[in-house]
Amino acid sequence: MGGSGSGRRWHWDAVATTDSMYSLDVRRLSRKGLLAPGNRFGWHWSRGGERIGEIQIEAQAGSIILKYRSRSGGGDWESMNYPVRLISQPCNLGGERQWFACPARGCGRRVALLYGGRIFACRHCYRLAYPSQREQSFQRYQRRANAIKTRLGWDSLPWGDWGPKPKGMHQSTFDRLTAEIEHFEAASDVAFVGYFQTRFDLLGD
Ligand SMILES: [Zn+2]
């Protein structure tokens, strides 16, 4: 590992800001109290002060419904309307943490962020859709997170799942390693948004 004792501090809010992208962050929605069942609200994205996309969201018990219109390549507008399942997980420090289950067919991964194209899906799904020859920074960050998971013996877990503390590992070591996983995954999310946005712009030309 190394490097983690260098006194560097992670800046969560700085890495977790994805305002101008087509991404939905379950942590932001949860923090704002928007996931309470029965709640309906609009969410929009802007870039350079211009509104570039919006959706309507309806919160239900255990899921949110996404409603928006989508169009690709100058074709007809298509009305989209589908649920995204919510997964709640008890926190170590009390309370609950919310996750999305990726709604892409055959996925269902537990993720904090979904990215909008025609449908909203997780980074893993879009990575499959947008393969690249050389390693991108979002992949490099994910690889570093995965290396820590390997050290913790979490290799066999489903993508996105966290396991228990290995026997014999100090709690402080475990806390540091899990914080590093969170950091690298958050950095990967942000880097991915940048990557995807670039692709989006190129495809939109
Ligand atoms: Zn997915």
Side-chain angles (χ1 to χ4, degrees):
M1 283 308 303
S4 49
S6 62
R8 218 158 98 208
R9 283 276 157 262
W10 312 130
H11 298 286
W12 298 103
D13 285 342
V15 280
T17 297
T18 54
D19 269 350
S20 61
M21 315 299 177
Y22 286 99
S23 66
L24 271 182
D25 187 335
V26 74
R27 296 161 296 198
R28 289 188 66 193
L29 300 180
S30 179
R31 265 201 307 273
K32 289 171 182 281
L34 295 170
L35 299 177
N39 207 11
R40 292 159 185 247
F41 57 97
W43 193 258
H44 74 267
W45 297 268
S46 54
R47 182 169 32 177
E50 192 186 339
R51 195 174 280 213
I52 56 173
E54 60 190 326
I55 58 173
Q56 297 296 316
I57 299 177
E58 193 180 314
Q60 300 188 342
S63 67
I64 57 173
I65 311 293
L66 302 184
K67 297 178 185 176
Y68 56 95
R69 294 193 312 156
S70 172
R71 152 169 103 158
S72 58
D76 289 340
W77 287 99
E78 187 181 5
S79 288
M80 309 298 285
N81 181 338
Y82 56 89
V84 174
R85 197 160 56 85
L86 296 172
I87 301 169
S88 55
Q89 178 195 30
C91 293
N92 287 339
L93 304 172
E96 286 192 331
R97 179 172 176 172
Q98 298 281 344
W99 300 86
F100 292 131
C102 173
R105 194 185 302 259
C107 183
R109 285 180 175 79
R110 194 183 74 177
V111 294
L113 285 154
L114 293 173
Y115 304 91
R118 180 173 169 274
I119 66 157
F120 282 80
C122 74
R123 190 174 75 234
H124 181 87
C125 288
Y126 275 110
R127 185 169 54 197
L128 297 179
Y130 294 92
S132 69
Q133 293 81 356
R134 66 185 184 85
E135 187 179 54
Q136 301 292 323
S137 56
F138 72 86
Q139 294 167 318
R140 192 168 63 247
Y141 286 126
Q142 187 62 53
R143 187 161 52 72
R144 295 185 70 175
N146 291 346
I148 300 169
K149 289 181 175 179
T150 299
R151 181 173 166 188
L152 292 169
W154 296 357
D155 286 291
S156 58
L157 297 174
W159 196 84
D161 275 8
W162 286 27
K165 182 172 79 65
K167 283 201 179 81
M169 179 178 280
H170 284 130
Q171 186 66 43
S172 58
T173 306
F174 181 69
D175 291 346
R176 176 171 60 75
L177 293 176
T178 52
E180 287 181 3
I181 291 174
E182 285 218 46
H183 165 72
F184 287 127
E185 292 197 330
S188 181
D189 279 331
V190 171
F192 178 78
V193 167
Y195 172 74
F196 178 58
Q197 191 69 15
T198 306
R199 290 300 183 113
F200 181 84
D201 285 339
L202 289 174
L203 290 171
D205 277 348

